[in-house]
Amino acid sequence: MTLAVACIDALHGVDALRGEWEALAASAHGATAFQSFSWCRTFLAVAEERAPGQVHPRIVTVREDGRLVMLWPLQQLRFAGLRLVGWIGEPMTQYGDILAEPGAGRTRWRAAAEAE
């Protein structure tokens, strides 16, 4: 099985993930509204409106044989000259988690995502 890890850092890339993101969220056990495409995309749009150029998506995706199996919804922001990465929606959401298909591959997928 071939793993491919990619980082999505532009809104058009986030938009292109919509269908796959929603399908993954539907199959992931325990997924919450704060991990949903709608919540994350809305937060990114509001952040861009309120602080243009300050908050950027940093969505880590893991694909196995071309199929999206894990998605890590992160944001990147600049603060005091530093680049900080955290969950999309922080500090407002104060909750984040990785979306992943159920199954034995989760440990391997997470290790690949963390390496990114």
Side-chain angles (χ1 to χ4, degrees):
M1 294 188 186
T2 304
L3 280 186
V5 180
C7 188
I8 310 303
D9 58 5
L11 290 177
H12 68 273
V14 174
D15 292 339
L17 281 172
R18 182 181 192 142
E20 290 179 294
W21 187 328
E22 289 174 342
L24 182 59
S27 71
H29 296 299
T32 71
F34 299 114
Q35 296 164 280
S36 72
F37 174 86
S38 295
W39 171 263
C40 292
R41 183 60 178 89
T42 299
F43 181 86
L44 291 168
V46 170
E48 178 60 27
E49 194 175 287
R50 292 188 181 208
Q54 298 298 310
V55 177
H56 304 280
R58 185 144 179 95
I59 313 297
V60 179
T61 62
V62 179
R63 294 180 182 278
E64 189 167 78
D65 296 330
R67 188 181 83 255
L68 183 66
V69 293
M70 180 175 278
L71 184 142
W72 195 343
L74 300 171
Q75 67 183 2
Q76 175 181 295
L77 56 98
R78 294 256 179 218
F79 179 76
L82 300 172
R83 182 179 71 157
L84 304 175
V85 176
W87 299 108
I88 288 181
E90 282 185 346
M92 193 169 75
T93 300
Q94 297 183 7
Y95 175 82
D97 203 353
I98 293 172
L99 288 172
E101 283 187 355
R106 293 172 68 122
T107 301
R108 189 166 52 94
W109 303 334
R110 182 169 182 143
E114 287 174 347
E116 168 57 34

